[in-house]
């Protein structure tokens, strides 16, 4: 279990083992996330990782800069803070 802090609102939520990705964990807590990966596009859910680390589930199809993550392609590796 990992704690995810959303920097813009200060909200903290828990990512459980049953959440296959960070995107699904965010959705399960009713956090609105812009995404289009389920429609065939990649990169819309891009956000900045402020603190902590993630485990990549799959190589992102979209270009991401250093310090950015795609919640649809990763899981929190311990407690993290994201700019959202």
């Amino acid at each position: 279990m990992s704690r995810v802090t959303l920097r813009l609102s200060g909200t903290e939520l828990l990512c459980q083992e049953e959440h296959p990705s960070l995107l699904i964990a965010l959705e399960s807590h009713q956090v609105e996330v812009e995404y289009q990966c389920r429609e065939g596009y990649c990169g819309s859910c891009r956000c900045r990782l402020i603190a902590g680390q993630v485990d990549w589930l799959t190589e992102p199809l979209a270009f991401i800069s250093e310090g950015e993550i795609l919640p649809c392609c990763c899981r929190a590796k311990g407690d993290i803070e994201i700019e959202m």
Side-chain angles (χ1 to χ4, degrees):
M1 183 171 18
S2 301
R3 183 181 330 276
V4 177
T5 302
L6 308 180
R7 174 173 258 186
L8 299 179
S9 66
T11 302
E12 291 187 357
L13 50 97
L14 295 177
C15 290
Q16 306 289 339
E17 289 298 317
E18 67 261 14
H19 298 133
S21 71
L22 181 55
L23 175 61
I24 292 174
L26 293 166
E27 289 178 322
S28 76
H29 291 281
Q30 288 74 46
V31 176
E32 289 190 34
V33 180
E34 175 71 31
Y35 66 85
Q36 294 180 351
C37 52
R38 294 177 186 141
E39 286 84 36
Y41 301 101
C42 186
S44 295
C45 65
R46 173 189 337 262
C47 66
R48 183 154 305 281
L49 178 65
I50 304 300
Q53 297 180 346
V54 296
D55 282 327
W56 291 98
L57 305 169
T58 184
E59 187 72 27
L61 295 176
F63 173 79
I64 55 172
S65 298
E66 187 173 332
E68 291 182 328
I69 60 170
L70 296 176
C72 64
C73 298
C74 66
R75 295 183 68 175
K77 185 177 182 180
D79 294 346
I80 65 171
E81 181 177 357
I82 57 177
E83 190 171 293
M84 183 174 281

